[in-house]
Amino acid sequence: MSHVVSQEWLFEHGTDDHVVIVDCRFALGNPTSGRTGYDTDHIPGAFYIDLEEDLSAPKAAHGGRHPLPNLDELAAKLGRIGVDSDAFVVAYDDQGGAMASRLWWLLTYLGHERVAILDGGYTKWKETGYPVTDEPPVERAAEFRPHVRPEILLSVDEVKQRLGRPGTVLIDSREPRRYEGLEEAIDPVAGHIPGAKNRFWKDGLTAEGLWRPASEQAERFTDLKDAEEIVVYCGSGVTACPNVLALQQAGFTNVKLYAGSWSDWISYEENPIATGNEERA
């Protein structure tokens, strides 16, 4: 099953009984902008889910800037917006799919694979002239029963155990300059986890902001074809998710998320830090 649906598909199927549309718009540094944008206009029938209020737990000493949410609370939220075992969830944002991919990954982690992101997001939807509304969606409560898949998630200790392990590849999803440690405007320490390769998540998009097809995603990761395990991280566990999705689209199966990511890694003073581009070393 494809994890990306087209604008045309959602326009034709958005009102189907089993389809649940979720607006995930959110901007780091302006946390109210997503909800404000949603209240102004959104895709008809869409529910709003907030990155920090719904898809993350409060920040603590460890766990990163966006720790995974309380799963019982998330399951209850999903049930309130109509997600049950038969639902097909379509998530969108206006930031290239990063926030929508976070919901995609969390649903996958909770054992619900009937979920996709909207190609082109809300920006493309409005540019195309598809309908928008400021009307709230009709509530259709359901029961969401999670079936957690712990095998696709790694803790900081599990990542440390894998450093230098043959067959395991770490992927850093941040911008190259942050990966190399040349700049860091968000976290207090610059650099990357030793041994990690850099694959900027936005390289999975075309210049028009559309999702690259599976063949082009495979080209981004062609050097990983012999990897036995791929561990993906970013700054806080959010923009790693589109790379996890891209890897799955490219045919990789043993892909895991280090949800705490760089912001969690550097919260432990004893953890090693690397700088520069290791692939050019």
Side-chain angles (χ1 to χ4, degrees), residues 17-279:
D17 289 340
H18 67 289
V19 173
V20 178
I21 307 172
V22 181
D23 187 315
C24 298
R25 282 179 284 173
F26 185 90
L28 295 173
N30 188 7
T32 63
S33 63
R35 181 75 206 201
T36 299
Y38 171 83
D39 290 340
T40 300
D41 55 58
H42 52 264
I43 295 177
F47 294 86
Y48 184 72
I49 283 188
D50 186 272
L51 171 67
E52 293 189 341
E53 293 184 8
D54 303 309
L55 303 182
S56 306
K59 182 180 177 182
H62 301 295
R65 285 182 281 108
H66 292 109
L68 293 187
N70 179 288
L71 298 185
D72 290 335
E73 293 177 2
L74 178 59
K77 174 74 174 185
L78 292 168
R80 287 196 296 272
I81 66 172
V83 181
D84 57 19
S85 59
D86 295 324
F88 183 72
V89 180
V90 179
Y92 70 86
D93 57 39
D94 58 359
Q95 290 184 300
M99 313 306 165
S101 293
R102 169 77 164 206
L103 177 60
W104 168 84
W105 186 88
L106 280 166
L107 279 166
T108 302
Y109 177 60
L110 295 177
H112 188 90
E113 295 188 351
R114 291 174 54 79
V115 55
I117 65 170
L118 176 64
D119 198 13
Y122 193 60
T123 300
K124 187 69 173 179
W125 180 271
K126 290 190 71 173
E127 288 177 350
T128 305
Y130 287 132
V132 300
T133 184
D134 61 358
E135 293 293 322
V138 176
E139 297 283 345
R140 44 179 177 175
E143 183 179 8
F144 181 80
R145 296 181 179 180
H147 302 280
V148 178
R149 299 179 56 199
E151 72 277 6
I152 67 172
L153 174 67
L154 291 183
S155 68
V156 61
D157 289 334
E158 290 170 323
V159 174
K160 288 174 70 173
Q161 293 166 6
R162 285 162 167 78
L163 295 185
R165 178 188 291 183
T168 294
V169 178
L170 270 67
I171 297 295
D172 186 312
S173 306
R174 298 171 299 162
E175 299 95 324
R177 290 185 62 83
R178 291 182 67 199
Y179 161 80
E180 294 184 31
L182 298 174
E183 63 181 42
E184 182 53 71
I186 302 175
D187 293 309
V189 180
H192 60 265
I193 299 176
K197 296 175 178 287
N198 185 214
R199 295 293 183 276
F200 186 30
W201 73 272
K202 284 190 175 180
D203 290 340
L205 305 174
T206 67
E208 295 75 31
L210 298 175
W211 197 256
R212 293 190 183 278
S215 60
E216 293 183 18
Q217 300 290 7
E219 290 179 9
R220 296 177 59 214
F221 305 109
T222 185
D223 60 325
L224 309 184
K225 61 182 182 299
D226 296 325
E228 298 173 7
E229 176 187 56
I230 301 174
V231 180
V232 188
Y233 75 93
C234 58
S236 69
V238 176
T239 57
C241 295
N243 259 350
V244 174
L245 194 157
L247 283 158
Q248 289 199 11
Q249 292 286 87
F252 294 91
T253 56
N254 196 11
V255 183
K256 302 176 180 180
L257 175 70
Y258 171 28
S261 288
W262 181 246
S263 54
D264 177 52
W265 184 263
I266 61 173
S267 71
Y268 299 88
E269 293 183 359
E270 69 275 16
N271 281 352
I273 293 171
T275 57
N277 189 333
E278 298 195 43
E279 294 181 83

